[in-house]
Structures are given as structure tokens and as C-alpha cells.
Amino acid sequence: MIEAQNLTKRYGERTAVDGLSFSVRPGIVTGFLGPNGAGKSTTMRMILGLDTPTAGQVTIDGKPFATMANPMREVGALLDAKAIHGGRSAYHHLLCLAQTNNLPRRRVDEVLEQVGLTEVARKRAKGFSLGMGQRLGIAGALLGDPKILMFDEPVNGLDPEGILWIRNLMKSLAAQGRTVFVSSHLMSEMENTADHLIVIGRGRIIADCTVREFIEQNSQLVVRVRTPQAAELAGVLARHGGKSVPDDTGDGLLITELTLDRVGDLAFDSGIRLHELSALQASLEQAFMELTKDSVEYHAAVPAMTREG
Ligand code: ADP
């Protein structure tokens, strides 16, 4: 369990992390989601004692990281995979880590096997692809067989196969009862990996809920109809609190503020013929952007609504 209370970090005038309180529970994957610059890395660095909070505190199983006698046995982290000494082989990199942390040598072979690097273990890490480097970083995090694991943007730049591998690894680590805390700036990555979400923007908590709750609360339902009597239907719906805008097909309307059933009933009661009645869901990525739009440092264009189902 990771517990943060009023965790705050200021760099001069800039507040990177602004009074965060949250807990990360064992047995599930917790996604740490926020736009770039939201304060995710700074928070993770404070959890690992690499940065000192300006105010507040964070503990791991009740203890600050700095007080742990054998930190690698308790917490494993992948922060910056590129920080690996390139001249060494994967095996020697891990062996060094094991020896300086009093971990048994056999763990090196075990984690190499676990991340699928056994065959290239004697090759220099310098020649590794991004995905292999990422696997090596994860092997390092797993070396002490820790109960708590943290990964900062682990799938950045990986190919679909690498992304799938990391996703499954996280789920299996959580299924073993470990605490898995993983950051990302993309909702689409979290949607399929995380059970719980902590969403931050400009250093503050925006949401702390399950992925299911996040979807329910943040994806606005839009009802789409096609009808030869679009103007008439829009008038009827407006009198009952509905908002309609024409879509690009000429005879379609996109309706918000009314449920699909209600739109169908109102059309029927008014004798208006419908050629289509369907539900559109704003994509989760869009919901996330909507939620964090006031906290993004640099705005990018919001993509158009996507149609699902
Ligand atoms: P994220 O990981 O969510 O992208 P970061 O934690 O890296 O966000 O950064 C949060 C904010 O703190 C950003 O505005 C960043 O520029 C600032 N920041 C991070 N580290 C430092 C530092 N060492 N000195 C000054 N500002 C920093």
C-alpha cells in the first residue's frame, strides 16, 4: 500500500505537486493518469525518496522509503529506462544491482527469464532496442521480488507487442497480490490495463475512482437519430429539455440531455417517423481530455467524436 497525504512539491515559483492525498492498494493495477507536466514523475520520485516533498508525506506500507533497510526487496521501480549503463551486458547490469543490494545471484537468471531476455543476457545493453531496454529496466524492478511496483510511462515508444506484454505483466503482478502503480498520459493505455484510476492535472487530484466509474461519469451519452422530420423532432425534444444539432448526413440529429428511450417515446408520441435511433459514446480519451482541459499546459486540438457500436 502506498499512501500520500497532502503531498506537495514546489520548484521555486512552480508548484509541481499540489496537496495530493491518495492510496494505492495491493492486488489491483492502479493507473496514474494525467497530461504531460501534471506532476506524475515528481510524485513517483517523492514516493521513492528521490525528491523531498515541500510539504506532506508519502509512505510505503506505513514507512517512508528512506527508512527501509532493504528497499529493493520492498519496492521496485521503472522510472527512466534509458538510465541503464550501456556498456554492460544485461546480465552484468542486473548482477551488479543484485550484489550491491544483497540479493541472491539466482534472482538475476530468474528475472531475465521472466522478462524474456535470457537469450540476449550476455549482449551489451547499448545495442538493445527500446523494448529490450524497457524489459531490462523491468527486470531490475523485479529483482528484489518486491510487493510494491511502480512504472513511469512504461509503454512510451513501444510497439503493440511490447505494449501487450507490459499490460499482461502488470495484471499478473497485481494478481499475485502486489501493489502496481503505473503512470501514463494516455487514457487509452489505462482503459485496458488499470482497475483503479488516480487522475491528476496541474499537481491536483481530478478523479480517484474505478475505471468503470470513470467511464460512467465521464463519457457523455449522445443519441443519434435519422428522420425525415428532423426540424419537427428537434422542436419536440427542445420542449422536453433535449438539445439537438444536425449531423453531417442531412437527415440526422445528435441529441444530448435525453436518454435513448425518451427520444424514442417522444418521437412516437408526436407521430414522427424514425429511420435510426442509436447511442453514441464519446470516447474515453475524449472524456479524459475534457476533464483535464483546464489543466493542460499546452492545448492541442481535440479530435472529433468517435462512434462506437
Ligand atoms: P509528468 O510526469 O506528469 O509529465 P512532472 O512531474 O515531470 O510531470 O512535472 C510536473 C511539473 O513540474 C512540470 O511543470 C515540470 O516542468 C516541473 N518540474 C519537474 N521537475 C522539475 C525540476 N527539477 N525543476 C523545476 N521544475 C520541474
Side-chain angles (χ1 to χ4, degrees):
M1 174 98 100
I2 303 170
E3 283 174 294
Q5 277 153 12
N6 188 34
L7 194 62
T8 303
K9 180 69 186 182
R10 280 189 279 276
Y11 295 107
E13 293 286 283
R14 178 178 280 282
T15 304
V17 174
D18 195 359
L20 288 189
S21 298
F22 61 83
S23 35
V24 185
R25 284 177 290 124
I28 55 169
V29 177
T30 300
F32 194 29
L33 185 64
N36 285 325
K40 303 181 295 295
S41 300
T42 305
T43 302
M44 288 187 153
R45 292 173 57 80
M46 287 193 282
I47 297 173
L48 293 168
L50 298 169
D51 244 332
T52 315
T54 311
Q57 58 163 337
V58 59
T59 55
I60 297 170
D61 288 339
K63 299 165 288 193
F65 185 88
T67 65
M68 289 179 182
N70 279 308
M72 277 191 83
R73 290 177 193 265
E74 306 202 43
V75 190
L78 175 78
L79 290 194
D80 183 359
K82 290 178 285 300
I84 285 163
H85 196 296
R88 279 193 200 132
S89 70
Y91 182 84
H92 274 100
H93 166 73
L94 294 170
L95 186 63
C96 246
L97 267 182
Q99 284 171 340
T100 47
N101 286 281
N102 266 330
L103 300 169
R105 185 181 266 258
R106 67 169 166 79
R107 282 297 296 155
V108 173
D109 293 317
E110 285 171 10
V111 294
L112 281 166
E113 182 74 40
Q114 196 176 352
V115 303
L117 287 181
T118 305
E119 282 182 15
V120 293
R122 303 282 172 176
K123 297 214 166 97
R124 284 180 181 207
K126 204 159 37 183
F128 277 13
S129 67
L130 186 67
M132 283 156 77
Q134 208 75 327
R135 282 173 194 245
L136 181 54
I138 291 172
L142 298 174
L143 201 58
D145 197 16
K147 290 237 163 55
I148 314 257
L149 286 150
M150 303 208 314
F151 303 97
D152 194 8
E153 300 270 3
V155 304
N156 256 5
L158 293 189
D159 56 16
E161 192 197 339
I163 293 175
L164 191 65
W165 178 78
I166 288 195
R167 198 176 274 169
N168 288 334
L169 176 77
M170 296 201 182
K171 287 185 183 173
S172 70
L173 291 167
Q176 291 162 4
R178 297 175 213 259
T179 301
V180 181
F181 194 37
V182 49
S183 78
S184 176
H185 65 286
L186 289 175
M187 182 69 217
S188 51
E189 273 166 19
M190 294 284 110
E191 198 175 343
N192 300 309
T193 314
D195 307 288
H196 197 91
L197 282 181
I198 294 170
V199 185
I200 65 167
R202 285 193 191 254
R204 296 194 184 170
I205 298 247
I206 297 177
D208 184 347
C209 58
T210 66
V211 172
R212 182 186 290 266
E213 283 164 352
F214 184 86
I215 294 171
E216 281 168 10
Q217 286 163 18
N218 292 292
S219 43
Q220 191 189 22
L221 188 74
V222 178
V223 179
R224 180 185 138 85
V225 298
R226 281 195 313 112
T227 167
Q229 297 159 270
E232 198 183 335
L233 180 64
V236 170
L237 298 178
R239 285 196 289 284
H240 292 84
K243 288 187 185 148
S244 315
V245 288
D247 76 359
D248 48 16
T249 62
D251 64 347
L253 289 176
L254 296 173
I255 301 143
T256 52
E257 314 287 332
L258 292 173
T259 64
L260 180 108
D261 291 359
R262 186 92 173 106
V263 171
D265 289 347
L266 288 169
F268 179 81
D269 292 346
S270 317
I272 294 171
R273 240 184 310 170
L274 299 185
H275 292 168
E276 181 185 329
L277 177 62
S278 58
L280 301 184
Q281 196 100 34
S283 81
L284 213 50
E285 201 69 60
Q286 193 179 19
F288 166 61
M289 292 208 303
E290 190 68 23
L291 194 67
T292 55
K293 69 174 183 229
D294 297 331
S295 63
V296 178
E297 289 185 323
Y298 308 102
H299 280 274
V302 177
M305 185 166 297
T306 53
R307 181 152 184 212
E308 283 170 17

